[in-house]
Amino acid sequence: MNLHEYQGKEVLAGFGVTVQRGVVAATISEALQAGKKITETTGSEWHIVKAQIHAGGRGKGGGVRLAKNINELETIAGDILGMQLITPQTPPEGKKVNQILIAEDVYYPGASEPKEFYMSVLLNRSTGRNMIMYSTEGGMDIEAVADKTPHLIFNEEIDPALGLIPFQARKVAFNLGLSGAAFKDMTKFVSALYRAYVGSDASLFEINPVLKTSDDRIIAVDAKVTIDDNSLFKHKDIESMRDLSEENPVEVEAREVGLNYVDLDGNVGCMVNGAGLAMATMDLIKQSGGEPANFLDVGGTADAARVETAFRLILKDPKVKAILINIFGGIVRCDRVAQGIVDAYKNMGDAVKVPIIVRLQGTNADIAKKIIDTSGFNFLSATAFQEAADRVQEAIS
Ligand code: GDP
Ligand code: MN
């Protein structure tokens, strides 16, 4: 589950990470109130107005702007609220901005220049350990840095048994070229950030930029936070931050009925039981010249109601030209699944307009095939994997 920047900062702050302070607003008057409130604590009329959408690169698209007084704040808040923000990470049509974060300006002048760093915490899947990835080249496209000057990106891996050791935090601060008060504050920042990552069961933190202010404080200016969905039962406070308007509506619906569904770009819908078989089926579709339109694991109980729900979800995607049902009857008998498919089809009447390829293998597969073949509906049955692939190919060509 992805969080908005303001929510991510709230989670970080809860674990003692210093963040750029801000107040979220959904209207211009809320934005002005927020601005006044921040000015009371900072004494500055300068604010940064930041579009809250689930995509990065907002600065490049005009979604992050500096306001130097209350009038500018009003104008900029009005410009950004409701705008269709296009960034390198949004779909081509952009994303609508429903909320903005009014934040304190932390790039104020002082004894030294503010300096932007990059820092993320994530799982290194090849070593099975969490790592902190960081660079002196923050604020800009980290992908470009990784591409052109990879030696400027450092990794620090954390032993799961020991956790982050203080010397590792000091190493990060040292490699970032810090000294004095900024060095000390960076070690505190890194420790708190790692504590927050583990404590919130996150799968990704990306803080770009981490700022060294002109008076040597270390602050998270941006926060991209992804929390592991499987841990949300432990974090009701975080789960309640979910913004459904940012999520794929079909995936939201699937989650509500307990189906494991991921929307994809292809033309062949698939309904499968078991994640492994689902992956194999997607490969099969690709081999037969199609592209999977979705990943859908209906799970162990493929009864008529579930099959029908799954059908309806797949058919919401106008790109679907054929549906491949590939179910292994182990715990659930194939004949029951077959009956479920036929009943679902019956219930849906004219809704199904695309060919459906059905492959049922396992307990009572022969009875199942008979049910499918004699149903009188537009089914193509297949027994072998290759046969199913050939039927898919015929259906979409
Ligand atoms: P992103 O473009 O979506 O990654 O959004 P960020 O939150 O990273 O902000 C983009 C850029 O806005 C940063 O790299 C900074 O250069 C700038 N910015 C952010 N906060 C402030 C601030 O308080 N003052 C000033 N002057 N610039 C800021
Ligand atoms: Mn950023």
Side-chain angles (χ1 to χ4, degrees):
M1 173 181 147
N2 293 323
L3 300 185
H4 282 297
E5 174 195 358
Y6 79 93
Q7 298 167 326
K9 283 175 167 172
E10 206 176 302
V11 172
L12 295 186
F15 286 92
V17 179
T18 311
V19 301
Q20 176 187 40
R21 284 169 297 186
V23 179
V24 73
T27 62
I28 295 175
S29 77
E30 279 176 21
L32 292 176
Q33 256 181 320
K36 280 179 199 142
K37 201 171 141 208
I38 293 166
T39 302
E40 277 170 26
T41 42
T42 61
S44 165
E45 287 246 318
W46 287 32
H47 296 101
I48 192 96
V49 184
K50 312 179 81 176
Q52 298 298 289
I53 56 167
H54 284 189
R58 295 163 301 167
K60 289 177 191 159
V64 178
R65 285 168 61 191
L66 183 68
K68 297 186 177 178
N69 55 54
I70 202 83
N71 293 331
E72 282 186 20
L73 180 62
E74 183 166 7
T75 312
I76 293 172
D79 286 349
I80 297 182
L81 269 174
M83 85 185 277
Q84 199 68 20
L85 179 57
I86 301 172
T87 85
Q89 292 181 22
T90 60
E93 72 277 13
K95 279 188 156 188
K96 185 162 180 246
V97 181
N98 297 317
Q99 288 175 299
I100 49 177
L101 178 64
I102 312 301
E104 60 173 333
D105 168 41
V106 284
Y107 287 62
Y108 46 81
S112 66
E113 282 292 306
K115 169 103 184 78
E116 294 179 325
F117 303 114
Y118 173 89
M119 192 171 293
S120 57
V121 190
L122 69 164
L123 175 68
N124 181 343
R125 290 180 188 275
S126 52
T127 60
R129 292 178 173 206
N130 290 327
M131 66 179 186
I132 299 173
M133 199 187 272
Y134 60 103
S135 175
T136 49
E137 308 305 296
M140 51 188 280
D141 238 332
I142 195 68
E143 288 81 7
V145 179
D147 198 31
K148 298 196 182 83
T149 49
H151 60 282
L152 294 178
I153 298 179
F154 301 97
N155 289 331
E156 189 64 33
E157 284 213 357
I158 292 113
D159 186 311
L162 301 175
L164 182 80
I165 305 172
F167 97 83
Q168 293 183 294
R170 291 199 293 275
K171 189 168 144 200
V172 173
F174 179 81
N175 282 336
L176 290 175
L178 297 171
S179 59
F183 182 100
K184 255 187 141 169
D185 212 25
M186 181 59 87
T187 62
K188 271 203 262 170
F189 184 90
V190 172
S191 308
L193 193 67
Y194 190 70
R195 207 176 332 120
Y197 178 83
V198 174
S200 64
D201 289 302
S203 55
L204 174 72
F205 275 3
E206 189 178 48
I207 316 298
N208 187 25
V210 171
L211 188 77
K212 183 199 77 68
T213 60
S214 59
D215 51 354
D216 287 342
R217 295 184 307 131
I218 305 298
I219 293 183
V221 170
D222 193 3
K224 177 178 167 55
V225 169
T226 308
I227 305 291
D228 183 346
D229 281 325
N230 296 310
S231 77
L232 288 174
F233 74 97
K234 291 197 267 177
H235 304 286
K236 296 292 176 211
D237 48 336
I238 298 179
E239 193 177 25
S240 70
M241 293 176 173
R242 192 186 285 282
D243 181 352
L244 291 179
S245 73
E246 285 281 354
E247 300 190 5
N248 180 306
V250 183
E251 289 181 9
V252 171
E253 204 183 323
R255 189 169 51 236
E256 276 163 10
V257 295
L259 289 169
N260 203 346
Y261 176 97
V262 181
D263 195 45
L264 299 168
D265 291 330
N267 54 1
V268 181
C270 39
M271 189 193 306
V272 190
N273 64 339
L277 186 58
M279 302 296 271
T281 304
M282 289 160 68
D283 284 349
L284 179 86
I285 290 170
K286 282 203 85 119
Q287 271 174 15
S288 63
E291 288 286 337
N294 64 277
F295 168 99
L296 173 58
D297 174 7
V298 290
T301 52
D303 56 18
R306 233 173 141 70
V307 169
E308 186 175 336
T309 313
F311 257 137
R312 288 193 190 280
L313 287 176
I314 295 176
L315 288 171
K316 288 200 172 161
D317 183 348
K319 298 186 298 295
V320 167
K321 296 281 172 289
I323 298 177
L324 171 58
I325 301 178
N326 192 7
I327 287 184
F328 176 76
I331 298 169
V332 56
R333 288 173 4 222
C334 290
D335 53 323
R336 287 201 47 195
V337 178
Q339 198 54 53
I341 295 169
V342 172
D343 291 350
Y345 199 108
K346 243 183 242 165
N347 280 342
M348 292 176 67
D350 294 340
V352 193
K353 295 208 167 53
V354 298
I356 296 169
I357 298 102
V358 184
R359 175 180 181 267
L360 296 168
Q361 273 297 0
T363 312
N364 290 351
D366 44 347
I367 306 173
K369 188 167 180 335
K370 227 169 267 162
I371 295 172
I372 295 295
D373 288 344
T374 57
S375 67
F377 295 129
N378 185 16
F379 293 128
L380 304 164
S381 71
T383 313
F385 235 71
Q386 187 55 50
E387 206 185 338
D390 293 343
R391 294 292 93 77
V392 169
Q393 192 166 23
E394 287 159 21
I396 57 173
S397 53

